[in-house]
Amino acid sequence: MKEINIKELKESAVSLFDDRWALITAGNEKSYNTMTASWGALGELWNKDVCFCFIRPQRYTYEFTEKEEYFTVSFFGEEYKKALAYCGRNSGRDVDKAKETGLTPLAVGSSMSFEQAEIILLCKKLAFQDINPEGFIVPGIDKACYPDKDYHRMYIGEIVKCLVKQ
């Protein structure tokens, strides 16, 4: 992996989440969890390069993200789509996702990611905000995205390191 400035990243921030999906991972070498994410954003806020991530409170990764200062957002090639789908369908409470998918854990700063990732963003938590349905302006979002009323928590993380596969 090679460290680059996030501003040098050539991929579209929208397509990274929408087309390639991501793994959000929090924890350390002794204990961590990862989950698949297709919602997120990259941008600038508070004079910092940031990543916006969304995690539902019932997800196991939520527990790790809540207690840790850092998390990673990792993007993979198309050949890992099945592995990412597995990580989205199965809970780390019940299975060892790395073992089941063949992904190799990789310590990145104070967090974890996977050797197979093409892009790894190490993020330091700056803030969080719980999604409040009272703020929905467009009709249908609540019904379409939250039929169980299990609203996400949005985390805003400063991108402190961007690694790309060489």
Side-chain angles (χ1 to χ4, degrees), residues 11-22:
E11 287 81 357
S12 159
V14 172
S15 68
L16 280 173
F17 281 100
D18 188 34
D19 299 334
R20 292 177 61 178
W21 304 347

Side-chain angles (χ1 to χ4, degrees), residues 43-104:
E44 193 273 340
L45 182 68
W46 304 319
N47 301 314
K48 298 179 185 302
D49 298 319
V50 296
C51 180
F52 300 87
C53 295
F54 300 84
I55 303 176
R56 296 179 198 265
Q58 69 267 32
R59 298 297 300 259
Y60 191 39
T61 303
Y62 179 90
E63 296 174 27
F64 290 87
T65 308
E66 279 293 293
K67 69 182 177 183
E68 298 293 334
E69 184 178 6
Y70 292 87
F71 62 90
T72 62
V73 180
S74 307
F75 300 94
F76 296 77
E78 186 68 31
E79 66 272 26
Y80 292 99
K81 204 74 162 190
K82 279 188 178 182
L84 271 66
Y86 182 90
C87 291
R89 285 191 316 267
N90 295 277
S91 174
R93 292 181 184 100
D94 305 321
V95 298
D96 180 337
K97 293 180 185 184
K99 180 180 175 189
E100 294 299 322
T101 60
L103 294 174
T104 307

Side-chain angles (χ1 to χ4, degrees), residues 134-153:
E134 292 177 16
F136 294 151
I137 297 168
V138 176
I141 292 174
D142 198 28
K143 183 177 180 182
C145 298
Y146 298 103
D148 297 326
K149 307 298 183 205
D150 54 345
Y151 303 102
H152 289 90
R153 171 165 282 186

Side-chain angles (χ1 to χ4, degrees), residues 15-35:
S15 68
L16 280 173
F17 281 100
D18 188 34
D19 299 334
R20 292 177 61 178
W21 304 347
L23 288 180
I24 300 172
T25 310
N28 56 52
E29 290 184 70
K30 293 181 182 178
S31 181
Y32 68 92
N33 197 61
T34 193
M35 62 171 264

